[in-house]
Amino acid sequence: MPNKPLSSLTAARYGKTKVRVFRIVRQDKWHHIVEYNVDVLLEGDIESSYTEADNSVVVATDSIKNITYYLAKVSPHILNPEKFALHLGTFFVSKYAHVHKAFVAIEQLRWARIPVEAGKEHPHAFYRDGDDKRVVKVEVDASKGKDKLVGRVGAGISDLLVLKSTGSKFEGFIRDEYTTLVEVDDRIFSTSVDLEYTFSEIPLKAPGDAEKLQFAVPEGVEDGSVWDEEVPERARRATLEVFAEDESASVQATLYKMAQRIIAENAHIQTVTYTLPNKHYIPVDMKYIGVDNLTPSKAEVFTPVAAPSGLISATISRKQE
Ligand SMILES: O=c1[nH]c(=O)c2[nH]c(=O)[nH]c2[nH]1
C-alpha cells in the first residue's frame, strides 16, 4: 500500500529583507534625500521550489534586491514610500507571470534639513531629527488577474518615544489580593508609539510597457486617501497632540482618543491600530531618610524601568454606513 503523505505545503512566501536604500533627487542645487529599509516578499506558483527542489520558479532574492535598487533609480515615486512600495509591488506581479502577490514593507529613517541663518533650511545638509520611523506595508494582489490589480495599504509610525510629566492618572482598577499598585491622580506617562492605519482597497493600473516599469498614480488627490501626502503628518500630529493634551485616565483611554481623531481626520482610513508600551517610572522611596518622594505631588526622583512594561494595544475601525 502506498504511503499516505503526512504533510503538505500550506503557505509559502519569500524575498529579501532589510534592503538599505539611500536616494538623492537633485533639483538643481536643492537636494531631496530618502533613506529606506525595504522588505519585499513574493507569493505565487512557487510551491515546487519547496516540495521538488525546483528552482526554475525562483526569482533569486538577489535579483529582488537588484530590482529594488533599479526602481529606486528609475521610479518617479521614490520620495514617497507609499507610492514607491506600490510601484515596486506592481512591478513584481506584472513582470513575473507566476507571481500573484507582492508584499512590500518600507521603514523610512528621518532626515531633516539643517536650519541655517535665521531658520532657513540648508539645500543639501541634513540631520537625524528623531529615532521614529515612518512605516508602510503594501500588498499588491494580482490573484484576480494581471489587469485587475488590487492594492492594500497600511502605513504608520514606529518607535516614536514620548513622555509627559503630569496630566496622567490611573485609578479605579480592580483591587484584590494580588494588587500592590497604589492609585495615583498624577504620574509620568511615557510610551514608544507604534501606529498602523489601513486604507480601503485601491484598484491599480497594470503597467503597459515592455519593461513593466510604468506605474501611474491616479490624477487628483482625495483627502485622507493613500495618495494624500498629508496623511502621515496629520496622523503624527494627532498622535502627539492628543498625547500631550489629554488628561489621561489610562493608556487605554488616551489610545482610543488618538485613534478616533485619526479616523475623523482622514476619510479613507478604515482602521487604526496602536501598540503602546507603558514605560514605567517608579518614584524612589526616600522614607528611610525622612524625605517624602512618594506623594504624587512630591515625587521628583524616579527610576526609569526598562522592563517589564505594560503593553496596551487596540484597533479602532471606521463604522460602515
Ligand atoms: O494606563 C494604565 N493601564 C493599565 O492597564 C495599567 N496597569 C498598570 O499596572 N498600570 C496601568 N496603567
Side-chain angles (χ1 to χ4, degrees):
M1 215 169 61
N3 273 348
K4 245 173 95 184
L6 291 176
S7 57
S8 67
L9 185 75
T10 51
R13 195 182 279 187
Y14 82 104
K16 209 71 158 180
T17 184
K18 297 195 174 101
V19 180
R20 295 196 58 177
V21 181
F22 185 87
R23 167 76 201 263
I24 306 173
V25 175
R26 297 185 181 88
Q27 225 173 12
D28 201 7
K29 292 211 155 68
W30 186 257
H31 290 187
H32 303 269
I33 60 164
V34 284
E35 182 169 347
Y36 295 150
N37 297 322
V38 183
D39 293 355
V40 179
L41 297 177
L42 305 179
E43 277 184 15
D45 301 327
I46 54 172
E47 292 83 355
S48 61
S49 65
Y50 295 82
T51 59
E52 292 162 39
D54 169 19
N55 288 344
S56 71
V57 297
V58 176
V59 179
T61 70
D62 191 61
S63 311
I64 294 173
K65 173 208 68 186
N66 291 344
I67 290 167
T68 304
Y69 284 126
Y70 182 56
L71 278 206
K73 176 80 176 172
V74 300
S75 173
H77 307 296
I78 184 66
L79 294 179
N80 180 279
E82 285 86 353
K83 291 177 192 165
F84 180 62
L86 284 165
H87 192 172
L88 201 48
T90 303
F91 177 89
F92 281 102
V93 299
S94 304
K95 167 91 177 154
Y96 299 106
H98 71 298
V99 172
H100 302 315
K101 283 189 183 179
F103 300 85
V104 181
I106 297 183
E107 189 179 69
Q108 179 176 15
L109 306 182
R110 292 181 72 83
W111 286 113
R113 292 180 190 281
I114 296 180
V116 283
E117 295 166 34
K120 264 198 359 215
E121 292 184 321
H122 199 276
H124 63 251
F126 303 85
Y127 71 110
R128 175 70 33 92
D129 66 335
D131 291 331
D132 58 304
K133 288 125 199 138
R134 179 168 162 186
V135 292
V136 171
K137 279 187 200 157
V138 159
E139 175 185 338
V140 177
D141 182 353
S143 55
K144 294 228 159 61
K146 300 290 180 181
D147 53 352
K148 293 194 187 65
L149 303 185
V150 173
R152 300 185 186 92
V153 181
I157 303 171
S158 69
D159 302 320
L160 176 59
L161 185 59
V162 290
L163 179 149
K164 60 198 283 184
S165 53
T166 187
S168 167
K169 306 176 185 183
F170 190 58
E171 298 169 318
F173 49 89
I174 294 169
R175 298 212 76 85
D176 60 18
E177 63 273 34
Y178 298 108
T179 313
T180 56
L181 189 70
V182 290
E183 301 196 3
V184 282
D185 60 5
D186 189 2
R187 67 172 181 173
I188 289 174
F189 177 5
S190 177
T191 189
S192 175
V193 176
D194 195 278
L195 162 67
E196 184 180 352
Y197 45 83
T198 61
F199 295 93
S200 7
E201 275 184 12
I202 46 169
L204 298 169
K205 214 167 152 278
D209 68 321
E211 287 80 33
K212 314 283 190 202
L213 278 173
Q214 284 166 5
F215 171 73
V217 171
E219 294 277 310
V221 163
E222 273 186 83
D223 265 10
S225 76
V226 178
W227 311 114
D228 176 355
E229 301 201 0
E230 303 300 316
V231 169
E233 187 47 38
R234 270 206 297 279
R236 193 168 191 268
R237 199 169 328 117
T239 301
L240 290 173
E241 284 180 9
V242 173
F243 176 80
E245 286 165 10
D246 184 37
E247 284 300 319
S248 175
S250 64
V251 178
Q252 287 89 331
T254 302
L255 178 160
Y256 188 62
K257 290 181 189 174
M258 290 174 177
Q260 281 182 303
R261 178 157 150 192
I262 291 180
I263 297 256
E265 288 182 350
N266 300 279
H268 293 265
I269 288 184
Q270 297 304 318
T271 69
V272 176
T273 301
Y274 278 104
T275 304
L276 303 178
N278 187 8
K279 297 170 124 358
H280 303 303
Y281 285 70
I282 313 291
V284 176
D285 187 347
M286 300 185 181
K287 276 202 298 281
Y288 74 96
I289 204 165
V291 172
D292 181 5
N293 190 61
L294 294 184
T295 309
S297 61
K298 302 243 171 75
E300 292 166 322
V301 178
F302 299 82
T303 309
V305 178
S309 72
L311 189 61
I312 317 293
S313 179
T315 299
I316 287 76
S317 302
R318 183 178 297 281
K319 279 196 175 157
Q320 300 308 319
E321 300 298 309

